[in-house]
Amino acid sequence: MIEPNSYRTGPDEKGLFGIYGGRFVAETLMPLILDLEKAYEDAKADPSFQAELDGFLEHYVGRPSPLYYAERLTEHLGGAKIYFKREELNHTGAHKINNVMGQILLARRMGKTRIIAETGAGQHGVATATACARFGLKCIVYMGEVDIERQKPNVFRMKLLGAEVVPALSGSRTLKDALNEALRDWVANVEDTFYCIGTVAGPHPYPEMVRDFQCVIGNETKKQMLQREGRLPSSLIAAIGGGSNAMGLFHPFLDDKDVEIIGVEAAGSGLDSGKHAASITGGKPGVLHGNRTYILMDDDGQITEAHSISAGLDYPGIGPEHAWLNDTKRVTYVSATDKEALEAFQLCCQLEGIIPALEPSHALAHAMKVAPKKPKDHLMVICMSGRGDKDIFTVADHLGVKL
Amino acid sequence: MTTRIDKRFADLKKEGRAALVTFVTAGDPDYATSLEIIKGLPKAGADIIEFGMPFTDPMADGPAIQEAGLRALKAGQTLVKTLAMVKSFRESDQATPVVLMGYYNPIYLYGVERFLADAKAAGVDGLIIVDLPPEEDEELCLPTIKAGLNFIRLATPTTDDKRAPTVLRNTSGFVYYVSVLGITGTKTPDLKSVEQNVIRLKGHTKLPIAVGFGVKTAEQARIIAKSADGVVVGTALVNAVKNNLTPAGKPTPETVKAVHALVSEIAQGVRS
C-alpha cells in the first residue's frame, strides 16, 4: 500500500477510508443520513456552533482534562515516562460526553426532540441521558440485557437522569444487539428522532463526526505535552472497542510520523480461546451496522459474539478509520486479555490512587508490557478514558470478593 | 433481457390481477421442512417466492423474522445451503421466480462474483439486499444486473419525489414498496396512504410495484392488490411456521400445511 501524504484527510465523499466505511443502511434511513451529513457540514462551517460547543465543554464537561504525570507507575515500570490523559475526570466520568455534547447540540440545531442511543458499558448511555436532561430532550437508551445486568450502577444513573432504558433481548444481548435495536427504532421514528451513536462506527457521517468531536482529546494532549515537555509524546496508547477515545487521541497526531501509536483491543479469555473482542487481530473485513470494517464472523458471514470483561469493549467490530489505519500500518493494533486488564486495574488503583475503568485498563496492561523496555526519555501517553466506579462489582466478582 | 420475474408480472397483467409474493426464511425450522414449504408454495397460490437468507443481525426485521433467521442458523443453514435449496426447487419448477432477500455481509464474504455465478446457476432470479442503498450500487447492484439477474430495491415512505429517481435508477424486476415506517411485521399499514404512495411511485417508474411489511390478512391483501402490482406477505407466514413447532422448535405434521393454508387464504384475497 502506498503511504498517503496525510492520514488526516479521510473520509472521501462516499464516506470511505480506503475500502472501509460507507453507508450500508436500509433505504428508509438513507434520506436521514444525507440530512445529517448536510446539517453537520453546515454546523462545522458555523463558528457559533463551535463556540457553543466549546462553552459547554469548558463549563459543563470540565475541559480541558489534565495531562497527568503518573510518577509512581513510571517508577514502578522503570522505563518510559508515563502520562495519563485524564478523560475520566470529565462530567459523567468518561470521554463519551465530548461526542454527546456535539451531537446533542447538532440535534437541537436540526429541530429533533427525541434522542436514541445504544450503550455497552453504559458510559455513552449516561452521557446521552445527561445531555438530554440538560436540554429537556426525550431520551431512549438501548442496552443489551447482559450489559444491563453487569452495569447496574449506570442503568440506575440513566433512569435518575430521566432516560428510558430499553433492554435489547435479541442475539448476544450485548452492545451489537443494542445497536441493532437503536437502528430499528430509528427506522420507525424518522420524523423527530436523532440517533446519537457513541463510537466512531456506523454509516457515514458518524465515524467522521464522532471522531471530530473526540479530537479534543488529542488536540489538548498535544498542547499540554508541548507545554510540559517542550516536545511531542513518543507514543500514544488507547483501548479500543469501537474506538472513539482512541481515535480522538490518535487523529491529531497521525501526521506526526515520529509518534508511535498503539490501539489495544480486548483479547477476552485469550485470542486462541475464541472468546475475545479483537476485531482487527481476530476478524476480517465485512459489513455490519452501516459500515465496512473488520468484524468477528464465522465462515458463513454470520456475526459472532464478542467476549470481554469490559462491557465497553464487547463489540464484534471496530470503527472503519481504525481498519484503514491498520491496513496502512500507521497505527499498530495489539490486544490485552481480561486477566492482564484486571492486573493493570489493581496496579493503577494502588500506585496512582486512580480507579480506572476496565476499558482503559486494557491500555494500561499494554503499557505495563512495553514501558519497561523504553528509555527514560520516552514520553508515553495513555488515554484514561473512563473511571472505574461502574466496574467495581465486576472486578470484585472476578477477584472472588463478595460485596 | 426478460427474466422470470418480468414474464410473471407480464402474464399476471394479462390475467388482470396482482402477484402474491411470499417470504419465508430459508432453513426455517430446518432444511428439509423449509424445502417442502417452498416446493408447495406455487400450488398454494404464490406467484413469486422470496427466500430469506438468514443473518445474525437483521437490522430491518422485526422479532418474528429475526427469530426465524436464528432458528434456521441454529439448524445449520448457510448461504451454500440456501443456494442448494433453490437448485432443488428449480428441478420441479421452472416458472416461479425466486428472489433471495437478506443482508450483504454473507454475500460479501462469499465473494460477489462467485455468489452471482452460483446463484444464477441455482436458478435465482433476483436479489433484495436490505443494507445496500443506491449509494452503494457498485458493491453488488451493478454486478448483479451485469450477471443478468434482477436487483430489486426497497422504496419507503421516506423515498420522496426528489429521492425516487435515485432509488429507481438501477432497480429492475419490480419495486418493493415498504408500506410502513419501521421494521418487518410490527406495524399495520395505513392502506389509504399506501395507495397514494403506490400511485406516486408509478409516476416515476414503469416497473411493477409490490407492497409489503405488515400485510397479514387476505382482506389487507385484497385492498392493496387493487392499486399495487403485487402484495408481499412475510411475517404472517414465518409466524405460521413458529406457531406449528414443538416446544423444542422441531417441525410437526402441521408446520408445512399451516404455511400453505395461509398462503391459499391470502391468495384468495389477492385474486378476488
Side-chain angles (χ1 to χ4, degrees), chain B residues 177-210:
Chain B
Y177 179 68
V178 175
S179 63
V180 297
L181 277 171
I183 50 179
T184 51
T186 53
K187 287 186 183 172
T188 303
D190 169 6
L191 298 177
K192 191 77 207 147
S193 113
V194 167
E195 186 187 358
Q196 286 164 358
N197 275 301
V198 168
I199 291 167
R200 185 172 62 82
L201 279 174
K202 283 191 170 176
H204 290 279
T205 180
K206 289 194 164 57
L207 287 170
I209 296 171

Side-chain angles (χ1 to χ4, degrees), chain A residues 162-194:
Chain A
E164 185 188 341
V165 181
V166 182
L169 304 170
S170 59
S172 60
R173 295 170 289 131
T174 60
L175 181 53
K176 89 172 168 73
D177 310 285
L179 235 149
N180 287 332
E181 289 306 326
L183 285 166
R184 289 175 185 133
D185 178 307
W186 203 19
V187 170
N189 298 285
V190 299
E191 296 298 331
D192 60 349
T193 298
F194 185 99

Side-chain angles (χ1 to χ4, degrees), chain A residues 14 16 19-32 34 170-171 176-177 179-181 183-185 187-191 284-290 292 295 297-304, chain B residues 54-62 66 70 73 77-80 104-110 130-139 153-160 163 167 178 180-183 187:
Chain A
K14 292 187 74 186
L16 294 174
I19 65 162
Y20 302 105
R23 287 177 287 214
F24 296 89
V25 295
E27 174 59 27
T28 309
L29 294 181
M30 209 49 227
L32 281 77
L34 294 173
S170 59
K176 89 172 168 73
D177 310 285
L179 235 149
N180 287 332
E181 289 306 326
L183 285 166
R184 289 175 185 133
D185 178 307
V187 170
N189 298 285
V190 299
E191 296 298 331
K284 49 197 162 201
V287 173
L288 179 70
H289 294 150
R292 177 172 15 238
I295 295 166
M297 62 177 104
D298 68 12
D299 294 337
D300 187 44
Q302 305 300 334
I303 310 307
T304 52
Chain B
F55 184 50
T56 41
D57 293 78
M59 66 176 176
D61 285 304
Q66 290 173 37
L70 293 179
L73 291 172
Q77 191 67 14
T78 60
L79 190 48
V80 171
Y104 186 39
N105 194 57
I107 295 172
Y108 179 71
L109 186 69
Y110 194 97
V130 179
D131 51 355
L132 285 177
E135 280 70 11
E136 304 293 348
D137 270 358
E138 285 165 27
E139 293 285 335
R153 191 108 58 199
L154 303 172
T156 73
T158 60
T159 311
D160 57 15
R163 174 85 182 152
V167 171
V178 175
V180 297
L181 277 171
I183 50 179
K187 287 186 183 172

Side-chain angles (χ1 to χ4, degrees), chain A residues 268-401:
Chain A
S269 311
L271 292 176
D272 297 335
S273 70
K275 287 185 174 299
H276 63 79
S279 317
I280 284 189
T281 323
K284 49 197 162 201
V287 173
L288 179 70
H289 294 150
N291 58 175
R292 177 172 15 238
T293 187
Y294 281 90
I295 295 166
L296 300 179
M297 62 177 104
D298 68 12
D299 294 337
D300 187 44
Q302 305 300 334
I303 310 307
T304 52
E305 292 176 16
H307 295 273
S308 170
I309 189 173
S310 146
L313 304 182
D314 206 347
Y315 179 66
I318 185 167
E321 193 166 10
H322 283 295
W324 178 73
L325 288 170
N326 173 70
D327 287 10
T328 56
K329 298 189 167 33
R330 175 61 189 98
V331 176
T332 305
Y333 293 87
V334 298
S335 63
T337 63
D338 289 351
K339 191 167 167 283
E340 290 166 338
L342 273 170
E343 282 164 16
F345 176 97
Q346 294 171 78
L347 189 72
C348 186
C349 292
Q350 289 154 12
L351 291 180
E352 294 296 344
I354 293 170
I355 301 176
L358 283 169
E359 290 81 20
S361 295
H362 287 72
L364 283 166
H366 186 71
M368 283 166 63
K369 289 180 210 169
V370 295
K373 296 175 217 156
K374 301 287 186 190
K376 293 201 184 318
D377 63 352
H378 182 105
L379 304 176
M380 180 177 281
V381 175
I382 300 170
C383 190
M384 185 56 67
S385 58
R387 66 173 184 233
D389 308 47
K390 69 182 174 64
D391 292 316
I392 55 170
F393 298 99
T394 306
V395 172
D397 191 40
H398 279 265
L399 298 179
V401 177

Side-chain angles (χ1 to χ4, degrees), chain B residues 101-183:
Chain B
M101 181 165 183
Y103 296 80
Y104 186 39
N105 194 57
I107 295 172
Y108 179 71
L109 186 69
Y110 194 97
V112 165
E113 293 304 324
R114 179 179 157 229
F115 172 76
L116 289 172
D118 290 356
K120 202 174 178 189
V124 171
D125 303 291
L127 302 176
I128 302 175
I129 306 300
V130 179
D131 51 355
L132 285 177
E135 280 70 11
E136 304 293 348
D137 270 358
E138 285 165 27
E139 293 285 335
L140 182 64
C141 173
L142 299 180
T144 300
I145 294 168
K146 207 172 145 215
L149 298 175
N150 288 132
F151 196 85
I152 296 130
R153 191 108 58 199
L154 303 172
T156 73
T158 60
T159 311
D160 57 15
D161 285 330
K162 186 166 153 267
R163 174 85 182 152
T166 307
V167 171
L168 297 167
R169 193 174 54 224
N170 292 319
T171 303
S172 64
F174 64 94
V175 179
Y176 186 142
Y177 179 68
V178 175
S179 63
V180 297
L181 277 171
I183 50 179

Side-chain angles (χ1 to χ4, degrees), chain A residues 56 60 91-92 97 100-101 104 108 113 115 125-141 157-164:
Chain A
F56 278 102
Y60 190 66
H91 183 38
T92 71
I97 191 87
V100 166
M101 288 313 301
I104 296 301
R108 274 163 57 83
T113 53
I115 309 295
V126 167
T128 306
T130 298
C132 287
R134 171 60 184 78
F135 293 107
L137 297 165
K138 189 173 166 56
C139 179
I140 293 100
V141 180
R157 255 176 219 129
M158 286 185 266
K159 288 180 179 169
L160 284 174
L161 292 160
E164 185 188 341

Side-chain angles (χ1 to χ4, degrees), chain A residues 55-67:
Chain A
F56 278 102
L57 289 178
E58 182 181 349
H59 303 293
Y60 190 66
V61 175
R63 303 207 69 92
S65 69
L67 183 68

Side-chain angles (χ1 to χ4, degrees), chain A residues 92-135:
Chain A
T92 71
H95 68 289
K96 294 290 186 185
I97 191 87
N98 303 330
N99 161 51
V100 166
M101 288 313 301
Q103 286 200 51
I104 296 301
L105 292 181
L106 185 61
R108 274 163 57 83
R109 206 179 147 93
M110 293 175 75
K112 303 288 185 183
T113 53
R114 181 176 177 273
I115 309 295
I116 56 170
E118 84 293 336
T119 198
Q123 293 303 101
H124 176 60
V126 167
T128 306
T130 298
C132 287
R134 171 60 184 78
F135 293 107

